[in-house]
């Protein structure tokens, strides 16, 4: 609660008088106003002490109420010497009420002195006000009761009124002090919460944003411009859809509308946002409708960067579907692709070329497994070049490969592809250590379409490949 002690106040008058001016100006102005008042009271017989005393007390009170006068009394600390400042103001009020014979009104002056001081330094100001007021009220009425100080009303009546006004003023002043202390405590809690939230948001990699009903951004946390490489002023008022990847934009707008339509529990979506330098990153977005909240009036969006998770998932997916050595599809992934092609084909136009290397075992045994791996990688690259853009190449295992033509295949297309594969493997393959190797390939083809199973197509291609291999040995 340290923030309450540092309650910001502009230097100014601590009494509810006219605008803050130079003390000498206030002295002259108040004197000019108080002089005719003193003259009028004197003619009415209401002034029981000399008029110059009344005018002087009023002038000093007006001058001391100004900020420079208060700084003169408080010393180096703007809030220091509270007791002296309060006592001087109450003493001047005591002189003014004594001059007019209205000593019973002095307790009300405690309110005029106490209220601005409570507002300035907090609830602790009521104590010096009450203490100085009590001393002056008792002293005044002791003088009134002994006849030393004249009064405009009977002494007993003046004392009774003073007791009642003192009690009322004290209760009001204590209530005002409690309210001010509570206000300061709440303000300190609010500032502490704001500072905590600001520090949390400032240092967080999470992105918080608010989006108006029309889809424009009304607030973005400091991490947003850092993530997106866009100045904050360029983000405010900008349609949020412009930051979303074009392929994800329709879904983002749909989820935004769903949130506005009644997603009380919140709406979630994962999408790609354009980041700095044209990079695209994945974010998990949680949307909550706060348009009915007067303090926010927008949809609150919490964005969490999940790019690394997507990359890990993509890597795991790739590893699950691809051969670790050649980077080609593995047997399971190729079978899934073939199944999808057979299901979606309008007719028997899905083709498969089954390939089995000839002479690979001799290279693998003679030059070692490392050389064999190099050879398989080179073969995979040549097969991909033969398959072209629409073809799908896979390693079935060992030295067996398959090529899928997902649409538009026919006997001639497959025969041409098989011929290109055989021709591609004719040139020698350079290996590490200055070695060179050459392998042949036996191929078999098969066609399929709706109603044909993957096992049937692969078995037919495999059988024709073995027929070709046996024929080459004859």
């Amino acid at each position: 609660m340290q923030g309450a002690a540092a309650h910001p106040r502009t230097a100014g008058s601590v009494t509810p008088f006219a605008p803050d001016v130079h003390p000498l100006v206030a002295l002259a102005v108040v004197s000019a106003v108080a002089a005719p008042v003193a003259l009028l009271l004197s003619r009415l017989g209401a002034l029981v002490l000399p008029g110059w005393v009344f005018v002087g007390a009023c002038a000093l009170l007006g001058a001391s109420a100004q900020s420079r006068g208060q700084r003169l009394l408080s010393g180096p600390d703007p809030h220091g010497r509270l007791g002296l400042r309060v006592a001087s103001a109450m003493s001047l009020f005591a002189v003014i009420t004594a001059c007019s014979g209205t000593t019973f009104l002095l307790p009300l002056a405690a309110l005029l002195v106490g209220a601005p001081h409570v507002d300035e330094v907090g609830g602790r100001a009521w104590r010096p006000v009450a203490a100085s007021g009590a001393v002056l009220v008792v002293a005044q009425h002791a003088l009134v009761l002994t006849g030393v100080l004249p009064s405009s009303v009977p002494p007993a009546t003046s004392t009774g009124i003073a007791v009642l006004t003192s009690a009322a003023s004290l209760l009001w002043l204590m209530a005002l002090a409690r309210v001010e202390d509570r206000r300061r405590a709440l303000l300190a809690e609010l500032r502490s919460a704001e500072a905590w939230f600001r520090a949390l948001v400032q240092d967080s990699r999470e992105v918080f944003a608010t989006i108006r009903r029309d889809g424009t951004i009304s607030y973005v946390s400091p991490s947003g411009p850092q993530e997106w490489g866009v100045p904050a002023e360029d983000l405010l008022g900008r349609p949020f859809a412009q930051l979303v990847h074009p392929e994800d934009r329709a879904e983002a707008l749909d989820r935004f509308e769903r949130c506005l339509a009644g997603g009380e529990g919140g709406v979630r979506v994962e999408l790609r946002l354009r980041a700095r330098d044209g990079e695209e990153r994945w974010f998990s977005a949680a949307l909550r409708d706060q348009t009915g909240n007067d303090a926010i009036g927008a949809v609150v969006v919490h964005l969490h960067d999940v790019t690394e998770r997507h990359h890990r998932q993509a890597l795991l997916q790739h590893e699950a579907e691809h051969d670790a050595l050649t980077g080609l599809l593995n047997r399971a992934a190729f079978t899934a692709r073939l199944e999808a092609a057979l299901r979606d084909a309008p007719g028997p136009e899905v083709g498969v070329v089954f390939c089995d290397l000839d002479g690979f075992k001799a290279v693998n045994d003679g030059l070692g497994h490392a050389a064999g791996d190099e050879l398989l990688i080179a073969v995979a690259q040549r097969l991909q070049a033969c398959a072209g853009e629409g073809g799908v190449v896979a390693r079935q295992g060992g030295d067996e490969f398959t090529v899928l033509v997902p649409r538009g295949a026919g006997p001639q297309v497959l025969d041409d592809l098989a011929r290109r594969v055989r021709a591609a493997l004719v040139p020698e393959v350079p290996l590490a250590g200055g070695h060179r190797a050459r392998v042949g390939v036996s191929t078999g083809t098969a066609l399929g379409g709706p109603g044909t199973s993957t096992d049937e197509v692969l078995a037919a291609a495999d059988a024709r490949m073995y027929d070709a291999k046996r024929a080459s040995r004859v």
Side-chain angles (χ1 to χ4, degrees), residues 356-364 375 399 438-441 469:
D356 184 81
L357 301 183
D358 299 328
F360 172 74
K361 188 174 184 304
V363 176
N364 198 49
L375 181 58
D399 60 352
R438 177 186 288 120
V439 291
V441 61
K469 187 180 284 289

Side-chain angles (χ1 to χ4, degrees), residues 161-361:
I161 295 174
V163 170
L164 293 177
T165 54
S166 295
S169 298
L170 179 63
L171 291 176
W172 187 89
L173 200 58
M174 291 175 66
L176 182 65
R178 282 195 299 269
V179 170
E180 177 62 18
D181 284 344
R182 179 59 179 162
R183 187 187 71 83
R184 288 176 177 240
L186 291 174
L187 184 61
E189 290 177 7
L190 177 61
R191 287 177 175 168
S192 176
E194 287 178 346
W196 176 83
F197 179 75
R198 191 179 299 109
L200 183 67
V201 172
Q202 186 78 33
D203 297 333
S204 175
R205 288 292 306 277
E206 306 295 305
V207 180
F208 300 90
T210 57
I211 302 174
R212 303 183 187 94
R213 280 187 170 272
D214 61 2
T216 57
I217 300 171
S218 56
Y219 168 80
V220 62
S221 61
S223 51
Q226 296 171 13
E227 285 286 338
W228 298 324
V230 180
E233 56 270 19
D234 291 348
L235 290 172
L236 300 182
R238 183 175 179 179
F240 81 93
Q242 291 182 0
L243 298 173
V244 181
H245 189 281
E247 295 178 7
D248 301 334
R249 196 167 292 163
E251 184 179 8
L253 291 170
D254 176 69
R255 296 301 178 93
F256 183 72
E257 293 299 328
R258 283 174 54 187
C259 179
L260 289 175
E264 297 86 355
V267 175
R268 290 185 174 271
V269 63
E270 289 197 359
L271 43 76
R272 286 164 290 180
L273 297 179
R274 294 175 178 173
R276 54 187 176 272
D277 301 327
E279 181 186 4
E280 292 169 351
R281 301 186 66 82
W282 280 96
F283 284 86
S284 172
L287 292 78
R288 185 174 294 277
D289 183 13
Q290 292 292 322
T291 54
N293 186 333
D294 293 338
I296 300 175
V299 172
V300 178
V301 183
H302 173 209
L303 295 164
H304 175 65
D305 193 329
V306 293
T307 305
E308 293 303 321
R309 175 165 64 79
H310 270 266
H311 286 170
R312 287 195 300 270
Q313 288 176 342
L315 179 60
L316 291 174
Q317 184 71 18
H318 184 274
E319 291 175 349
E321 294 181 348
H322 291 76
D323 175 54
L325 176 64
T326 63
L328 300 176
L329 290 181
N330 58 27
R331 181 195 299 268
F334 182 85
T335 302
R337 296 284 186 92
L338 175 57
E339 183 179 6
L342 292 171
R343 182 179 62 248
D344 298 337
E349 60 172 28
V350 178
V352 171
V353 179
F354 208 107
C355 309
D356 184 81
L357 301 183
D358 299 328
F360 172 74
K361 188 174 184 304

Side-chain angles (χ1 to χ4, degrees), residues 328-329 334 380 383-384 387 391-395 401-404:
L328 300 176
L329 290 181
F334 182 85
L383 289 177
Q384 283 184 307
V392 178
V393 184
R395 183 186 179 197
F401 297 85
T402 49
V403 182
L404 169 67

